[in-house]
Structure formats: structure tokens, C-alpha cells
């Protein structure tokens, strides 16, 4: 298996997923979320790559990469920022109320 | 225990996806991508195709994106204000 | 008016409301705006009725671009069914929650817009964006005064974001294999999709609608949220996941879907049994209702996985019945002080609508739920999965036990307490809808049958 952008993106998503499921600390779960979103961005941007293509700014008759996945990722980045900010605010509030960020302790309360 | 479950899920998911998925890296652009490259400049007048798509062809997505941003601001505001909600 | 106004008007009104929030608070104007913000989309949706009924598909290309390049909105029978149902119930829930804060109303309108956006759009990525609008607003709306609500909201957020990442991953693979994002074009191209893509979408939408191994966020989020929020979370937001499944699985992933029929039916059956037994063991009324929606979602999923036209009809009737009855039950629960099952007390104006909602959930004759369960069982027998018809009937008995127990306790009258009429009327309307739709299903049968026909069963 050759390690290219698509595979690396999926591996990043898997690492983030592992972090979200296995880790007990809320902040680490949020970090997992951020890693997942990085992975998805890498995955999509690699999907649009064309061998020897250049950036899709039209100037003459060249080979260009696919512009659509890049555009979609601009939207996704903003969405992920919003979700992360919301998750951080919730974590802040949870700490304020329970004085802990450990999922295992929180579940028992 | 939880780490075990997470590891098993991730391994199964990883095997499923990495060995089933044979996506070509650096192949051709999709049908829509080709069409954007072909018609983009003449239809929108924007040389940068990414901005042509973002602000013209798929402006509806961008509207949604701004709305999510608005919601996040509103959400941070209401959640931080907390008990008064 | 064009169908895009169904999506745009709620957003627009919510912006006006948030601007008003900056200045002085005028409660009358605020309430007026927040109701018109849903009423106008409702009227636009109703105005398409005659066209949709005659089998026409109303198309709107945003910006006038071709469907390959831009985003297409389409209103067909299936979209109309969901859009009409959700807007009707959303108006009622809005009337119920008029006394809440302006932030609540702003978020509520944004959520309405997001929901309608999912129902109308025919573009996979656009569907993702609107799913995010819907889910981000619901993460915020789940937060209430209660301490535990932050925990529930965080859990919901974590799972919801995993779901949307999987959805996005699936979208990427679909784009790479077909080259377009429009659902109609992809399905007309007839390229068989990879099984892994189907599994990604199934997991993602399964989390959003709470199918068996992925249901565990439902009881927390739905029972801790404020009553009107749990009403639309349980009644409508779960159904939006089901809608996307219907839309994608019957078109884009058709072959994969019919290959995996048996597994999906079994999953649905496990969800049904699991939900009903856990609901039986609950001590808290709202938690019991939350588990009972897992049970009902299981029945809906089971019915839609049969893949026959009769199954789809049954599933759509079940969606209708569950949405109306669940909204009614949750709104009733908002008028009860102590939610512990043994301490339930209320007035007749709460307990009678609750009882009607409960019998519709159980599926007794002359209610909406009966028609749904009848069609589902018919579909099960028709496709010779008679065992599953037995499962549904068996769990109906269990749900009769816990729902009638709760309504028995509710009939104990309590001391005086005042509930404003703006809260009573939505409950009366939803409970009478349970009966009216049960006696006169003809009102919607055309649309339901047309929707089932456009999706098409096994060929």
C-alpha cells in the first residue's frame, strides 16, 4: 500500500476516532474531533488531485486539479470550527458545574 | 475496557475501509470538476475557480456555512450565559 | 412562491429576531414574527399540494445553474409529506413555547430552516451542510437549567459530529466514483456504489436516527432537554435521519440496500425489542417516552427495510403517527410537575390528551398508529417475514403496559395549577389529530401512496 493523501487522511480519521472512543478526558475527546476534521480535509483535498495538475486559477490551456473538493472543504473547515467552539464551551460549563473533566467520573454522578 | 472497545472498532473499521477502498490518487477530475474547468471562466468571470464555485455555483452551501457560524456564536453566547436561558 | 422560500424565510425571520434582541424586547412583535416565520413556509408548502398530488415534481435550480454544477431543490411527494408534517407540528410546538426566551425562538427558527433544507435539497453535500445546521442548533437547545443537560449535550455533540464526519467521508467516496454530487444524476447513472460507502451512510444516519447499536445518546438528550425540545427531537429530528435514509438508499445505494435487506430488518427488530423492554423498566416519565421512541423508530426502520411498496406505505404512516403522538405526549409531560412515574398527578386537560396519544402509540383501532401498524404487519406477512409481524404485535403489548400504566397514574387529579391556553391548545390539536388521521386517513393517503410509488419497491 502506497501512503498517499487519501490513505493518510483515512488513517488520521481512524486515529481521531480511537481518541474519541477510548480517551476519558473531555479535552482529549475534543482533540480527537479536531484530528478527525483535519483527516477529512486531507482526504477531500487529495481526492481532487490530478497528476501534474496546477491550482485551479485559469490561465491558458493547462492541466488543473479538480476545484470542487477544495471548495467543499472551505465550508467544512468553518463547520468544524463551529462545532469545536461549541464543544469547548460545553466542556467549560461541565467543569464549572462538576469540577472535573473525566468522563468516567461524570458518568457515575 | 473502553480503550479495548475503541481499538477493536477502529481496527475493524480501518480494515474495512482501507482494504475495500481502492480510490485512485491523482486520476482525472470528476464530471462536475471538468465542467467547472471548462465553463467556469466564461460563465462567472472569475479566474479563480474555487471562488467561482464558492460564491456563485454553490453559494447556497456558503449561505448554510455562514448560518452555522451565526448559530455557533449564538450558542456560545447562550451556553455561557447559562442558567438564565 | 418558489419552494426556496420554505428554507429562506425562517432564516430571514431569525435574523430579524436577533437584531430585535439587540434593542428593546417587544414580546408581542417577537411572538408574531416567530409564528409567521414558520407559517409562511407552511403556506408555501401547502400551495404546492395540488401540483405534487398530480405527480408533478417542482424543481428549483438555485442561481439557474444546471444540476451538474449548482444545487437543485425539488419538491416531490416524499418531500411534501415530510415538509408538511414537520411544519404543522413545528407551528404547534412554537405556539406551546411562546413564553420562552428570544434565543430559544431564534435557534428554533434556524432549526426549522435547516430541517426544511434537508427535505428539499437534492445535493449530498448540501444535505450535509443542512444536517449540520439542524444538529448544531439541537446541541444548543438541549442545554437547559439543569446541570446534567451539559453532559447530555456534550454526548450528543460527540456522537453527532462522528455521524457527520462519516457522512462526509461517504460523500467524498461517492464524488470520486461518480463525479457529481446530485442525487438524481448519480442514481440515473446507475453506477453500483461500493458497499463500504453504503455502510458509512448507514452508520452515520443510524446514529442520527437511533438504530440499535447506535441509540445510546437518545435517552439522555431526549429526557433532559426542555419538554418542547424533546418533543421535536423525538418527533421530528429522528425522522429526518429516516428521510435521508429513504432518499439515499432507495436511489443512490439501491443495489446495496436490497442486498443487505435481511440484516437491516433484523437490526430493526432488535431495536424494537430493545427499546420496548428498556422503556418498561424506566422510573421517569420522559425517559420512558425516550426509550419508547427507540422502539417506534425500530418499527419504522423495519418497515422501510422490507423494500416493498406496502412496507414504505406502512413506514410513512408510522412516521406520521409517531410524530403526532410523541409530540403530544412530550408536550403533556411539560405540564406535569413531578415526572417520577409513581408521583404523577395532573388535571383532566393533561391526562385525556396523554391517554389519546398513548393509545395511538400502542396502535389501538381508530387511531393513527393503528393504520401504521396494520400496514407494517401486512407488509411483513406479504414478504413472508411473519415472525417480525409477531415481534411488532408483541412489543405493542409491552408498550400498552407501560403507556397505560403512566396514563393510569396521570388520571389522579392534583391541586390547582395554572397552564396558559397557548400551551393547552397545541396539546388538544395534536391529540385530536391522532384520532382524526386514524378515522380519515384518506386525507393523506394519496401523498403517501405517491411517495411509495416514486421510491419504488423491489422490482
Amino acid at each position: 500500500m502506497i501512503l498517499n493523501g487519501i490513505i493518510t487522511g483515512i488513517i488520521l480519521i481512524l486515529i481521531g476516532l480511537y481518541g474519541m472512543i477510548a480517551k476519558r478526558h473531555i479535552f482529549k475527546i475534543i482533540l480527537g474531533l479536531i484530528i478527525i476534521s483535519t483527516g477529512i480535509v486531507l482526504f477531500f483535498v487529495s481526492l481532487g488531485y490530478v497528476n501534474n495538475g496546477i491550482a485551479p486559477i485559469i490561465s491558458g490551456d493547462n492541466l488543473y486539479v479538480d476545484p470542487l473538493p477544495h471548495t467543499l472543504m472551505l465550508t467544512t473547515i468553518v463547520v468544524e470550527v463551529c462545532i469545536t467552539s461549541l464543544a469547548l464551551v460545553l466542556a467549560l460549563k461541565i467543569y464549572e458545574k462538576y469540577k472535573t473533566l473525566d468522563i468516567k467520573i461524570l458518568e457515575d454522578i | 475496557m473502553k480503550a479495548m472497545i475503541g481499538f477493536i472498532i477502529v481496527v475493524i473499521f480501518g480494515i474495512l475501509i482501507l482494504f475495500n477502498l481502492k480510490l485512485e490518487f491523482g486520476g482525472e477530475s470528476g464530471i462536475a470538476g471538468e465542467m467547472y474547468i471548462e465553463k467556469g471562466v466564461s460563465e462567472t468571470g472569475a479566474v479563480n475557480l474555487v471562488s467561482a464555485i464558492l460564491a456563485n455555483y454553490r453559494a447556497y452551501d456558503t449561505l448554510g456555512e455562514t448560518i452555522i457560524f451565526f448559530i455557533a456564536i449564538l450558542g456560545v453566547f447562550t451556553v455561557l450565559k447559562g442558567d438564565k436561558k | 412562491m418558489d419552494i426556496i422560500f420554505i428554507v429562506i424565510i425562517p432564516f430571514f425571520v431569525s435574523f430579524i429576531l436577533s437584531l430585535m434582541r439587540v434593542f428593546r424586547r417587544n414580546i408581542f412583535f417577537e411572538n408574531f414574527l416567530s409564528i409567521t416565520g414558520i407559517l409562511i413556509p407552511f403556506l408555501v408548502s401547502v400551495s404546492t399540494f395540488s401540483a405534487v398530488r398530480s405527480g408533478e415534481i417542482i424543481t428549483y435550480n438555485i442561481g439557474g445553474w444546471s444540476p451538474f454544477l449548482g444545487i437543485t431543490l425539488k419538491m416531490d411527494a416524499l418531500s411534501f409529506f415530510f415538509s408538511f408534517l414537520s411544519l404543522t407540528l413545528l407551528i404547534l410546538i412554537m405556539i406551546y413555547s411562546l413564553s420562552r426566551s428570544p434565543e430559544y425562538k431564534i435557534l428554533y427558527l434556524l432549526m426549522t430552516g435547516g430541517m426544511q433544507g434537508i427535505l428539499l435539497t437534492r445535493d449530498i453535500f448540501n444535505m450535509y451542510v443542512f444536517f449540520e445546521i439542524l444538529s448544531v442548533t439541537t446541541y444548543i437547545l438541549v442545554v437547559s437549567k439543569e446541570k446534567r443537560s451539559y453532559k447530555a449535550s456534550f454526548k450528543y455533540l460527540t456522537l453527532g459530529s462522528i455521524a457527520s464526519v462519516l457522512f462526509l467521508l461517504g460523500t467524498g467516496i461517492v464524488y470520486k466514483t461518480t463525479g457529481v454530487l446530485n442525487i438524481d444524476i448519480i442514481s440515473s447513472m446507475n453506477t453500483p456504489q461500493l458497499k463500504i460507502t453504503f455502510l458509512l451512510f448507514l452508520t452515520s444516519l443510524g446514529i442520527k436516527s437511533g438504530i440499535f447499536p447506535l441509540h445510546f445518546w437518545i435517552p439522555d438528550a431526549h429526557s433532559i432537554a426542555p419538554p418542547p425540545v424533546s418533543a421535536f427531537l423525538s418527533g421530528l429530528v429522528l425522522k429526518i435521519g429516516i428521510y435521508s435514509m429513504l432518499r439515499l438508499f432507495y436511489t443512490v445505494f439501491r443495489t446495496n440496500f436490497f442486498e443487505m435487506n435481511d440484516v437491516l430488518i433484523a437490526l430493526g427488530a432488535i431495536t424494537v425489542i430493545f427499546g420496548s423492554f428498556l422503556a418498561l423498566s424506566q422510573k421517569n416519565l420522559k425517559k420512558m417516552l425516550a426509550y419508547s421512541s427507540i422502539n417506534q423508530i425500530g418499527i419504522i426502520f423495519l418497515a422501510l427495510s422490507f423494500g416493498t411498496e406496502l412496507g414504505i406505505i406502512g413506514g410513512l404512516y408510522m412516521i406520521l403517527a409517531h410524530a403526532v403522538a410523541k409530540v403530544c405526549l412530550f408536550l403533556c409531560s411539560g405540564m406535569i410537575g413531578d415526572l417520577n412515574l409513581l408521583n404523577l398527578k395532573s388535571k383532566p386537560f393533561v391526562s385525556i390528551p396523554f391517554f389519546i396519544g398513548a393509545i395511538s402509540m400502542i396502535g389501538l383501532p381508530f387511531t393513527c398508529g393503528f393504520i401504521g401498524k396494520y400496514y407494517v404487519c401486512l407488509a411483513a406477512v406479504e414478504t413472508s417475514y411473519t415472525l417480525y409481524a409477531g415481534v411488532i404485535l408483541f412489543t405493542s403489548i409491552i408498550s400498552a403496559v407501560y403507556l397505560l400504566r403512566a396514563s393510569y397514574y396521570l388520571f389522579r387529579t392534583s391541586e390547582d395549577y395554572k397552564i396558559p391556553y397557548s400551551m393547552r391548545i397545541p396539546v388538544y390539536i395534536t391529540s385530536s389529530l391522532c384520532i382524526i388521521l386514524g378515522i380519515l386517513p384518506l386525507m393523506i393517503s394519496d401523498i403517501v401512496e405517491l411517495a411509495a410509488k416514486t421510491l419504488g419497491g423491489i422490482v
Side-chain angles (χ1 to χ4, degrees):
Chain A
M1 195 189 304
I2 309 153
L3 209 62
N4 55 32
I6 295 175
I7 305 284
T8 321
I10 291 172
I11 290 173
L12 273 177
I13 293 170
L14 293 175
I15 293 172
L17 208 59
Y18 173 75
M20 284 182 85
I21 298 169
K23 292 294 170 189
R24 284 171 54 175
H25 197 273
I26 282 186
F27 194 72
K28 284 180 183 164
I29 294 176
I30 298 174
L31 281 181
L33 199 68
I34 296 170
I35 294 172
I36 288 183
S37 64
T38 316
I40 206 97
V41 171
L42 183 59
F43 173 76
F44 258 81
V45 171
S46 322
L47 279 186
Y49 181 68
V50 174
N51 283 331
N52 302 321
I54 58 171
I57 299 170
I58 303 293
S59 54
D61 201 19
N62 293 316
L63 193 62
Y64 298 102
V65 297
D66 192 345
L68 187 58
H70 298 73
T71 321
L72 302 184
M73 279 313 98
L74 285 173
T75 309
T76 311
I77 289 170
V78 175
V79 171
E80 296 296 340
V81 166
C82 297
I83 291 181
T84 314
S85 69
L86 211 60
L88 285 171
V89 166
L90 284 172
L92 196 71
K93 270 288 176 186
I94 289 172
Y95 187 73
E96 206 174 273
K97 300 278 173 188
Y98 292 96
K99 300 288 174 223
T100 177
L101 282 175
D102 194 323
I103 287 285
K104 206 160 191 185
I105 299 171
L106 282 172
E107 266 171 4
D108 295 339
I109 298 171
Chain B
M1 175 61 190
K2 222 175 171 186
M4 254 336 257
I5 296 173
F7 190 72
I8 292 166
I9 290 177
V10 167
V11 165
I12 292 171
F13 184 66
I15 288 171
L16 267 178
I17 200 163
L18 287 176
F19 289 96
N20 275 313
L21 202 63
K22 292 197 171 51
L23 293 181
E24 192 189 354
F25 179 70
E28 291 172 2
S29 335
I31 301 170
E34 288 291 342
M35 283 168 101
Y36 284 125
I37 293 169
E38 210 172 284
K39 298 182 190 167
V41 179
S42 59
E43 278 187 352
T44 63
V47 183
N48 188 341
L49 287 180
V50 172
S51 48
I53 299 171
L54 190 73
N56 205 340
Y57 288 114
R58 297 180 75 88
Y60 191 54
D61 276 350
T62 315
L63 173 77
E65 169 198 320
T66 22
I67 287 167
I68 296 177
F69 206 71
F70 172 64
I71 295 167
I73 294 167
L74 202 68
V76 168
F77 171 69
T78 37
V79 174
L80 276 183
K81 209 175 69 173
D83 303 332
K84 233 192 109 193
K85 198 189 161 202
Chain C
M1 284 233 262
D2 287 317
I3 51 173
I4 187 159
F5 286 102
I6 300 177
V7 187
I8 294 300
I9 298 270
F11 290 148
F12 183 67
V13 173
S14 71
F15 291 145
I16 297 175
L17 271 179
S18 53
L19 278 179
M20 273 173 58
R21 180 75 182 79
V22 180
F23 305 110
R24 198 159 45 88
R25 202 175 161 201
N26 180 338
I27 291 183
F28 172 75
F29 197 52
E30 191 182 289
N31 291 348
F32 172 75
L33 269 183
S34 40
I35 289 178
T36 38
I38 311 178
L39 195 64
I40 295 173
F42 176 74
L43 294 176
V44 176
S45 172
V46 169
S47 72
T48 62
F49 176 67
S50 58
V52 168
R53 196 180 181 186
S54 61
E56 196 185 323
I57 295 173
I58 300 162
T59 314
Y60 185 89
N61 292 325
I62 289 168
W65 303 113
S66 83
F68 280 96
L69 301 176
I71 293 162
T72 315
L73 301 186
K74 274 188 185 170
M75 178 76 112
D76 64 354
L78 187 69
S79 301
F80 177 82
F81 173 78
F82 276 90
S83 167
F84 181 76
L85 172 70
S86 59
L87 284 168
T88 317
L89 290 173
L90 282 169
I91 291 176
L92 293 173
I93 300 171
M94 189 54 152
I95 294 170
Y96 181 89
S97 50
L98 277 182
S99 58
R100 294 185 151 262
S101 68
E103 285 89 354
Y104 172 87
K105 287 169 196 163
I106 297 167
L107 287 169
Y108 189 91
L109 283 166
L110 290 167
M111 188 211 61
T112 310
M115 197 183 273
Q116 302 308 316
I118 298 168
L119 298 178
L120 293 183
T121 188
R122 287 300 176 87
D123 187 283
I124 303 183
F125 188 77
N126 195 242
M127 198 182 252
Y128 160 78
V129 171
F130 278 90
F131 250 124
E132 286 303 306
I133 295 179
L134 177 66
S135 26
V136 174
T137 41
T138 42
Y139 305 151
I140 302 164
L141 285 170
V142 166
V143 175
S144 67
K145 277 177 197 160
E146 225 179 316
K147 211 171 151 187
R148 285 179 304 155
S149 68
Y150 295 104
K151 237 165 44 179
S153 171
F154 188 79
K155 198 173 182 181
Y156 186 13
L157 186 144
T158 335
L159 277 158
S161 49
I162 290 179
S164 50
V165 162
L166 296 180
F167 194 93
L168 206 51
L169 200 60
T171 309
I173 301 169
V174 168
Y175 177 70
K176 187 67 182 176
T177 44
T178 58
V180 272
L181 287 170
N182 191 300
I183 294 172
D184 292 332
I185 296 174
I186 294 173
S187 49
S188 68
M189 276 160 57
N190 249 333
T191 37
Q193 297 296 322
L194 297 167
K195 202 166 223 167
I196 185 76
T197 331
F198 174 69
L199 286 177
L200 284 173
F201 276 99
L202 181 69
T203 325
S204 158
L205 297 171
I207 292 175
K208 296 218 190 244
S209 53
I211 309 300
F212 164 62
L214 310 162
H215 64 276
F216 43 85
W217 59 272
I218 289 187
D220 284 336
H222 287 202
S223 64
I224 295 167
V229 177
S230 9
F232 67 70
L233 273 181
S234 203
L236 299 172
V237 176
L238 294 182
K239 309 297 182 302
I240 301 298
I242 295 282
Y243 164 82
S244 312
M245 280 190 191
L246 266 175
R247 181 60 81 201
L248 291 172
F249 293 174
Y250 275 93
T251 53
V252 180
F253 301 104
R254 212 180 161 79
T255 43
N256 304 84
F257 180 62
F258 288 125
E259 269 171 27
M260 290 192 55
N261 247 352
D262 291 333
V263 182
L264 298 182
I265 293 172
L267 265 183
I270 296 169
T271 316
V272 174
I273 296 169
F274 194 79
S276 62
F277 273 106
L278 278 176
L280 192 62
S281 65
Q282 295 307 313
K283 296 275 186 294
N284 181 298
L285 179 68
K286 278 182 84 177
K287 212 152 200 171
M288 186 191 90
L289 292 177
Y291 275 110
S292 113
S293 28
I294 296 177
N295 167 15
Q296 300 273 323
I297 279 287
I299 299 178
I300 293 167
F301 187 70
L302 183 72
L304 298 175
S305 311
F306 284 138
T308 56
E309 227 166 81
L310 208 57
I312 301 171
I313 292 176
L316 290 178
Y317 271 121
M318 277 305 293
I319 287 171
L320 178 77
H322 178 237
V324 175
K326 220 359 125 24
V327 166
C328 173
L329 292 180
F330 266 121
L331 293 186
C332 285
S333 80
M335 300 179 181
I336 302 164
D338 193 342
L339 285 172
N340 196 321
L341 268 186
L342 297 172
N343 302 337
L344 288 179
K345 266 180 192 149
S346 72
K347 286 256 163 196
F349 68 80
V350 181
S351 51
I352 291 171
F354 189 94
F355 179 68
I356 294 171
I359 58 171
S360 174
M361 292 276 294
I362 299 161
L364 293 185
F366 305 115
T367 59
C368 197
F370 172 72
I371 299 168
K373 278 190 179 161
Y374 171 73
Y375 273 111
V376 175
C377 292
L378 215 60
V381 173
E382 183 203 52
T383 47
S384 64
Y385 287 112
T386 324
L387 174 70
Y388 295 113
V391 168
I392 291 170
L393 294 177
F394 174 63
T395 55
S396 297
I397 297 169
I398 297 176
S399 51
V401 173
Y402 61 77
L403 282 167
L404 291 181
R405 184 180 62 184
S407 33
Y408 170 71
Y409 289 134
L410 262 181
F411 273 112
R412 294 182 299 198
T413 46
S414 72
E415 67 283 6
D416 278 291
Y417 58 99
K418 282 206 177 80
I419 302 286
Y421 273 97
S422 70
M423 283 169 87
R424 289 187 195 187
I425 290 168
V427 175
Y428 295 156
I429 295 176
T430 44
S431 60
S432 45
L433 272 180
C434 289
I435 301 281
I436 293 169
L437 291 172
I439 298 172
L440 300 166
L442 293 171
M443 291 158 74
I444 38 150
S445 60
D446 288 356
I447 291 291
V448 169
E449 273 156 29
L450 202 61
K453 208 166 279 172
T454 48
L455 286 175
I458 292 173
V459 193

